[in-house]
Amino acid sequence: MADIRCDIAGVKSPNPFWLASAPPTDKEYNVVRAFKAGWGGVVWKTLGEDPPIVNVSSRYGAMTYNGTRMAGFNNIELITDRPLDVNLREIKQVKRDWPDRAMVVSLMVPCEEENWRNILKQVEETEADAVELNFGCPHGMSERGMGSAVGQVPEYIEMVTRWCKKHSRMPVFVKLTPNVTNVLGPARAAKAGGADAVSLINTINSIMSVDLDIMAPTPTVGGKGSHGGYCGPAVKPIAMHMVAEIARDPECAGLPISGIGGISDWRDAAEFMSLGAGSVQVCTAAMHKGFKIVEDMIDGLGYWMDGKGHATLEDFRGAAVPNVTDWQYLDINYETVAKIDQDLCIQCGLCHIACEDTSHQAIAAQKDNGSRRYEVIDAECVGCNLCMHVCPVEGCISMVEVDNGKDYMNWTQDPRNPMNQKAAE
Amino acid sequence: MGNQPDIAAGRLTDSDYAENFSDVHPPLDRKAALIEASRCYFCYDAPCIEACPTGIDIPSFIRKISTDNVRGAAQDILDENVMGGACARVCPTEVLCQEACVRNTQEHKPVQIGLLQRYATDAVMDDAAHPFQRAEPTGKRVAVVGAGPAGLSCAHRLAMHGHDVVVFEAKAKAGGLNEYGIAAYKVPEDFAHREVDFILEIGGIEIRNGQALGRDIALADLRRDYDAVFLGMGLGGVRALGLEGEDLGGVYNAVDFIADLRQSDNLASLPVGRKVVVIGGGNTAIDIAVQTKRLGAEDVTLVYRRGPEAMSATGHEQEFAQVNGVKIKHWAQPRQIRGAHDHVTDVVFEYTQLDDNGRLGGTGDAFSVPADMVFKAIGQEMLPLPQANGGSELLEMDGACIAVNDERQTSLPDVWAGGDCVAVSEDLTVAAVQDGKLAAESINRFLRS
């Protein structure tokens, strides 16, 4: 089977599947169970300064969609609530017992050079492989000037990263918050500060739901709620966009990425890697189903790579990045129309009503003696894809390329572009 | 053969009776309902709506279930079918809405529409507030004959439109076949009675029990005393086999035995034979066969003169009987019921086949099935016509049933009819409810014109 050993910023692991800094990596007991299950590495739950923080009850909110539990997930838990020396002792022991696994230690201390210098020295003694700077936590800690409060100010990111590089020989991963308008600012700042890699995304500010009986957001703590960090399968598209933006940014070129955000299986992982991620970090899926899910991730990725002829992760890492472009470079002349396979059609009519009510009136509903037939009107179809997405039968509606004889032309070249008139002359 | 008939009560333990006659399809809990509701595609121009005789907007009510809008779901159902609760339990959904479900095409597993309908209607029937309001009183009075599904549906819709309704019911209880005729495990826990109470909550409906048309009341009198009349008395008669031995002890009409069973408050007191023979191929035949089996009969044999596809019981019902241990024999017709000491001992059947012209005939070969009890379930028919008892004008008939137009109006301008006693109706609860609803709308237009 394909070789899925991973090497990112000098941190090596037998596979690219790491557990993200979160409750599953809070202590030796959990991490040892994870390593026994096969996880390639962990980012230990964020360490802070003593005295340890205090957590509230309850801490998690979840979104069930159409019977699927935890399609989205959030938490209002803070960093580790255990004493620093206990965590450091356990980290050291686990790294000693599991030398082939990646041991990255997440850190969060106040924005003073001395505070960072102090904790880095202590972590170094554990012989951990790297540190990850938690500039992402969007709740609680941010109110105290840490977490995303740092991650939202590129200058702070650069400054703290620089301190860490100065006071430690360990590779430094900078974990980015998605709660910004453009992730490139923080990413470039991390690079400028000397970061060895970035990890993203941390969680997204969110209110999971409102309990309409008590009129309070969930998770509810004594009748009140606070915004929490959103994660799980629902955030994957947002995370992948941010990963791709960094991967294709010339200023960030060469900056390794540890991808995070809704990764639940090998396919999710392969998608993040195709967009440039070197390793991937998982939390919600493990919290939902336990550590055993890594088995499918490992052999699923391996079998897929075998099928595609990829011998190592580097063979496909970033392969999709050149195909991520700006809208203005898309081919305006490219045309598709929907095609309905009448043999597969079950006559649910969803394609018709979606197109009729909300799009281009391009699918005709015909009824003959009680039997229904839905037919695409090619001349009206703009190839928007909506019908294909609403169709419940896989493969029933496909988008077929129309050979219109036209060559590639993007918006910057299009004479219909008003901004283009002068340039064209 | 010469042994004493083995007919006994109390063949089972109390817990066996309880289990055998509890809900045959247990209700969905909220979680199961949400998962099942999520399987509905919310089709445009949904085929299931077309397949429902009462035209319930099925995708709409299922979507409402999926959003926990159970009240809205129930309202969608009850607006079209006030006996949506009964129909959720007794409809042959496998040949109606669920047969039309587009999920069949793809995966041969329709959305469980019947169970979802029950989930919604049960919730509202347990609710204190009746989901309908009456219109301003019109002062008009309508007589309804028969408090079965057709009559109650008609009465409820008329009451909703502001008319006052008197329902004349021959039996001691309202509900019709839901109370007396449907297999007990389909409508347990006194459901039929609870549903009647629910329907009557709208107000403006008076039920007079023990009032049979032709015996206690006459159509001419009803026409004189009321602004309109609806006839929904069903089929009071049972077809006879016309065979030697039919009057022997141990030979019963299936509908009578089922009515006794339904009214019994102690199933252990109901005597049942060790060996039971059922003659017929409809739902009544299935119901009596399964219920006697579940009362503790050892061998129950259902004999039908044609093949499985000709049975009016659906394939689903036939399979249900077989799973319950009923032996179904096709292609045989009864020739003689034999007995000793005035009690049945066995039934002689002759094998049948179709001739070249497609006509059914005996092959001449016979076999005998021993029986302690024999149940006749070869169909019901309308009792002698109501107009025989007074009334100068005659109701036009269509075969053995009352002739009606699309609005369920009879040949008499102020008389409507529906349910099993009209020719156009399928013998289904849901069809009877639709008849009553259509007739009520027509009567309302008539009374307001």
Side-chain angles (χ1 to χ4, degrees):
Chain A
M1 198 187 283
D3 178 359
I4 59 168
R5 280 177 299 174
C6 174
D7 183 347
I8 172 171
V11 179
K12 293 183 172 59
S13 57
N15 64 58
F17 304 111
W18 298 0
L19 286 166
S21 169
T25 61
D26 189 31
K27 55 186 186 294
E28 180 178 5
Y29 182 83
N30 304 75
V31 172
V32 167
R33 286 181 67 84
F35 285 164
K36 281 181 180 165
W39 290 85
V42 296
V43 181
W44 200 276
K45 187 169 164 88
T46 307
L47 310 184
E49 293 179 340
D50 283 336
I53 59 85
V54 178
N55 272 307
V56 293
S57 164
S58 59
R59 303 174 195 176
Y60 301 125
M63 186 177 75
T64 297
Y65 189 73
N66 253 3
T68 301
R69 299 186 72 78
M70 289 170 66
F73 192 58
N74 100 340
N75 80 90
I76 53 170
E77 188 171 286
L78 304 183
I79 61 175
T80 184
D81 52 14
R82 306 187 319 146
L84 180 60
D85 69 311
V86 172
N87 277 309
L88 292 170
R89 199 163 59 235
E90 291 184 3
I91 290 167
K92 187 168 187 170
Q93 185 63 45
V94 176
K95 181 61 201 178
R96 185 168 296 169
D97 294 344
W98 298 83
D100 69 324
R101 308 303 167 95
M103 172 64 78
V104 180
V105 178
S106 175
L107 299 176
M108 184 194 290
V109 292
C111 258
E112 300 290 343
E113 186 168 359
E114 188 53 24
N115 299 60
W116 284 97
R117 195 182 68 83
N118 268 337
I119 198 159
L120 283 164
K121 289 289 165 242
Q122 298 180 69
V123 173
E124 219 153 57
E125 285 166 17
T126 66
E127 290 173 46
D129 297 300
V131 290
E132 185 181 83
L133 313 187
N134 182 343
F135 294 158
C137 185
H139 50 271
M141 302 311 290
S142 55
E143 296 170 14
R144 306 175 195 180
M146 292 180 270
S148 66
V150 178
Q152 287 166 335
V153 184
E155 292 77 5
Y156 292 170
I157 293 175
E158 184 177 341
M159 175 180 75
V160 178
T161 305
R162 203 179 296 284
W163 292 338
C164 291
K165 287 307 294 178
K166 181 170 139 197
H167 296 296
S168 170
R169 55 168 175 75
M170 293 179 287
V172 173
F173 286 55
V174 174
K175 187 164 180 179
L176 302 178
T177 174
N179 299 304
V180 292
T181 47
N182 183 350
V183 77
L184 288 178
R188 289 168 181 167
K191 190 169 187 223
D196 297 281
V198 286
S199 307
L200 71 156
I201 59 173
N202 206 309
T203 56
I204 304 171
N205 283 332
S206 56
I207 285 181
M208 289 310 289
S209 65
V210 175
D211 183 327
L212 291 174
D213 294 323
I214 61 172
M215 282 295 168
T218 66
T220 309
V221 180
K224 297 212 184 299
S226 179
H227 76 264
Y230 195 37
C231 54
V235 311
K236 179 186 149 199
I238 298 166
M240 290 209 299
H241 163 250
M242 292 188 168
V243 166
E245 285 302 286
I246 294 171
R248 71 191 189 98
D249 178 44
E251 281 190 45
C252 291
L255 183 62
I257 300 169
S258 186
I260 312 169
I263 296 165
S264 307
D265 57 29
W266 64 266
R267 187 187 303 274
D268 295 335
E271 290 180 32
F272 270 83
M273 294 172 135
S274 75
L275 290 172
S279 68
V280 292
Q281 299 185 28
V282 175
C283 176
T284 305
M287 290 183 78
H288 194 175
K289 306 275 164 123
F291 291 146
K292 193 175 161 61
I293 58 167
V294 77
E295 293 172 15
D296 161 66
M297 293 178 158
I298 290 169
D299 61 29
L301 184 67
Y303 287 128
W304 172 77
M305 287 171 63
D306 288 348
K308 293 289 180 187
H310 301 312
T312 70
L313 299 179
E314 287 306 308
D315 287 5
F316 73 96
R317 192 176 62 77
V321 174
N323 293 327
V324 181
T325 185
D326 294 343
W327 191 96
Q328 61 182 339
Y329 300 124
L330 297 174
D331 185 0
I332 298 262
N333 284 337
Y334 180 75
E335 230 180 285
T336 61
V337 294
K339 186 168 172 13
I340 300 172
D341 183 338
Q342 298 293 344
D343 291 336
L344 289 178
C345 176
I346 60 171
Q347 281 94 46
C348 71
L350 290 177
C351 58
H352 163 76
I353 200 62
C355 192
E356 192 71 15
D357 279 355
T358 70
S359 289
H360 298 85
Q361 297 73 49
I363 297 181
Q366 297 154 358
K367 203 165 180 181
D368 185 21
N369 236 340
S371 96
R372 298 155 171 79
R373 187 179 172 90
Y374 297 97
E375 208 55 271
V376 176
I377 306 164
D378 286 357
E380 300 295 330
C381 179
V382 303
C384 76
N385 264 15
L386 176 63
C387 56
M388 189 185 85
H389 292 300
V390 302
C391 178
V393 182
E394 197 164 331
C396 177
I397 299 184
S398 47
M399 304 306 295
V400 180
E401 187 175 344
V402 177
D403 182 7
N404 56 16
K406 295 179 187 170
D407 294 332
Y408 170 88
M409 177 181 67
N410 67 46
W411 187 236
T412 67
Q413 304 160 330
D414 194 323
R416 291 168 295 188
N417 178 355
M419 305 298 288
N420 202 29
Q421 298 297 332
K422 286 190 195 104
E425 283 163 11
Chain B
M1 283 295 145
N3 295 341
Q4 291 294 310
D6 186 348
I7 298 179
R11 289 187 183 275
L12 306 175
T13 64
D14 287 350
S15 64
D16 286 337
Y17 283 115
E19 186 180 331
N20 290 353
F21 289 89
S22 67
D23 234 324
V24 66
H25 297 298
L28 300 177
D29 62 15
R30 176 173 173 272
K31 190 180 172 204
L34 291 179
I35 290 171
E36 193 58 25
S38 74
R39 295 186 63 238
C40 175
Y41 288 140
F42 198 67
C43 292
Y44 165 78
D45 187 20
C48 54
I49 304 177
E50 221 165 67
C52 173
T54 56
I56 293 171
D57 187 344
I58 293 162
S60 176
F61 92 68
I62 293 179
R63 179 164 181 81
K64 291 178 184 183
I65 287 175
S66 75
T67 68
D68 274 333
N69 177 9
V70 183
R71 260 215 96 94
Q75 193 75 51
D76 281 353
I77 295 162
L78 297 167
D79 278 347
E80 297 299 341
N81 181 341
V82 75
M83 301 188 96
C87 291
R89 291 164 167 80
V90 307
C91 258
T93 51
E94 66 275 12
V95 294
L96 297 171
C97 51
Q98 290 181 195
E99 184 181 50
C101 178
V102 301
R103 284 254 185 195
N104 285 304
T105 319
Q106 210 182 344
E107 60 197 272
H108 309 289
K109 194 171 180 296
V111 175
Q112 298 296 301
I113 299 168
L115 283 170
L116 288 170
Q117 177 163 318
R118 176 171 172 183
Y119 174 77
T121 50
D122 277 4
V124 166
M125 279 181 62
D126 294 341
D127 205 302
H130 186 70
F132 295 95
Q133 279 188 325
R134 295 192 69 189
E136 288 297 307
T138 60
K140 303 285 188 185
R141 300 176 73 233
V142 182
V144 168
V145 179
L152 289 171
S153 161
C154 185
H156 185 271
R157 185 59 64 115
L158 288 167
M160 201 173 88
H161 286 312
H163 313 301
D164 289 322
V165 185
V166 177
V167 183
F168 299 91
E169 168 55 50
K171 290 202 156 71
K173 291 185 188 173
L177 288 175
N178 290 352
E179 176 63 43
Y180 291 97
I182 301 283
Y185 42 73
K186 290 182 185 169
V187 281
E189 292 156 16
D190 213 16
F191 175 80
H193 179 70
R194 289 191 289 124
E195 188 170 55
V196 170
D197 286 348
F198 165 77
I199 289 169
L200 297 183
E201 275 173 32
I202 193 168
I205 303 173
E206 178 196 346
I207 296 190
R208 296 183 190 164
N209 293 102
Q211 301 285 303
L213 187 68
R215 183 186 74 196
D216 311 293
I217 48 173
L219 180 57
D221 296 339
L222 296 179
R223 294 182 67 198
R224 182 192 64 221
D225 297 341
Y226 293 86
D227 298 300
V229 179
F230 176 81
L231 300 176
M233 58 282 193
L235 305 173
V238 178
R239 286 205 192 111
L241 294 166
L243 285 186
E244 182 190 331
E246 201 167 340
D247 52 356
L248 285 168
V251 181
Y252 304 87
N253 289 321
V255 291
D256 296 337
F257 190 87
I258 293 174
D260 288 347
L261 190 155
R262 286 295 308 278
Q263 298 308 309
S264 167
D265 49 18
N266 178 16
L267 294 173
S269 71
L270 275 185
V272 67
R274 181 182 289 273
K275 297 183 290 288
V276 170
V277 168
V278 175
I279 301 168
N283 287 325
T284 303
I286 298 286
D287 285 355
I288 190 70
V290 174
Q291 287 182 113
T292 50
K293 194 83 177 74
R294 289 187 171 203
L295 280 173
E298 190 175 305
D299 295 306
V300 178
T301 309
L302 186 156
V303 187
Y304 178 58
R305 62 198 174 123
R306 294 175 185 269
E309 61 291 335
M311 290 176 81
S312 63
T314 64
H316 174 85
E317 287 284 318
Q318 294 177 44
E319 193 182 319
F320 175 68
Q322 287 165 327
V323 167
N324 275 271
V326 172
K327 180 178 184 180
I328 301 182
K329 282 186 81 72
H330 296 104
W331 299 109
Q333 61 191 359
R335 276 290 169 230
Q336 186 191 359
I337 300 174
R338 296 195 293 210
H341 313 295
D342 292 331
H343 194 95
V344 61
T345 55
D346 63 324
V347 185
V348 178
F349 291 92
E350 179 188 18
Y351 286 108
T352 57
Q353 61 187 11
L354 296 177
D355 68 16
D356 293 341
N357 297 319
R359 276 191 303 258
L360 190 73
T363 65
D365 296 326
F367 62 93
S368 149
V369 183
D372 303 309
M373 276 180 144
V374 174
F375 291 101
K376 298 180 286 181
I378 59 165
Q380 292 171 263
E381 57 198 5
M382 226 171 89
L383 286 171
L385 302 177
Q387 60 259 43
N389 300 62
S392 51
E393 292 178 83
L394 291 182
L395 273 174
E396 194 180 298
M397 301 298 285
D398 180 350
C401 296
I402 300 169
V404 290
N405 64 16
D406 286 350
E407 297 195 355
R408 306 303 186 260
Q409 191 175 25
T410 70
S411 55
L412 302 176
D414 56 343
V415 180
W416 284 254
D420 287 351
C421 68
V422 303
V424 296
S425 194
E426 284 185 87
D427 58 343
L428 297 173
T429 301
V430 64
V433 172
Q434 177 71 353
D435 286 347
K437 182 177 93 184
L438 291 175
E441 293 297 344
S442 180
I443 292 168
N444 182 49
R445 286 191 290 274
F446 168 78
L447 295 178
R448 289 174 182 274
S449 63

